[in-house]
Amino acid sequence: MALVTERDRLRDDVTAIAELTGYNRSSLIPILQEVKAKYRGVDSYAMQLIADVLDIHPVEVYAVATFYAFLQPETEGRYVFRLCRTLSCDFAGKELVAKQLEEALGLDFGETSPDGTFTLQWTNCMGMCDQGPAMLVNEQVYNQLNQAKVRAIVDEYRLKAEEHGTQRAPERAR
């Protein structure tokens, strides 16, 4: 019985996606999206592998991965909280929501919990300007946020994390 490494799985996944999308530059973003979704990050090995499979220079892969906010190569938690940081959300009370998120998750913006459950990030406009403050948790949109809604949303994802066997992230005492 052969031992399958994480790198072997990654190579198989990238090749399988390229089989579906094609072995060309137009497949770069779909491959990056799938790798990011499955592995919660796109490390330098993954970028090199994608470049090799698509027969492009690794700098092209890096440039695309770092250009798009949702493709950033850093490893993220299972649940990524992205709060809109635009002016319209600011006027709608974003700062109070941001403070509540930091307290409830025990994280500052740009951080991932030590157990890999939560990541807290800023994001640019989500097109919800009339319904702010707005936030994404993975692909789920939440709007017209207030401190009570944030608390309920964080509690919902803590429960999901516990159901999936990840440890509970500590709350921050401020």
Side-chain angles (χ1 to χ4, degrees), residues 50-98:
I50 293 167
D52 291 345
V53 166
L54 297 181
D55 195 27
I56 60 177
H57 199 280
V59 168
E60 290 182 69
V61 178
Y62 178 80
V64 170
T66 57
F67 179 78
Y68 293 103
F70 286 69
L71 293 177
Q72 292 296 314
E74 292 83 21
T75 301
E76 296 174 335
R78 176 184 299 259
Y79 303 108
V80 181
F81 287 70
R82 291 181 172 97
L83 182 63
C84 182
R85 66 173 160 193
T86 59
L87 192 58
S88 59
C89 283
D90 206 18
F91 289 143
K94 171 193 74 183
E95 287 305 316
L96 289 174
V97 169

Side-chain angles (χ1 to χ4, degrees), residues 5 14 31 33 36 38 43 60 84 99 106 122 126 128:
T5 68
V14 169
I31 291 172
Q33 288 172 319
K36 179 80 175 206
K38 184 167 185 176
D43 64 12
E60 290 182 69
C84 182
K99 184 176 174 90
W122 291 110
M126 298 173 7
M128 308 288 295

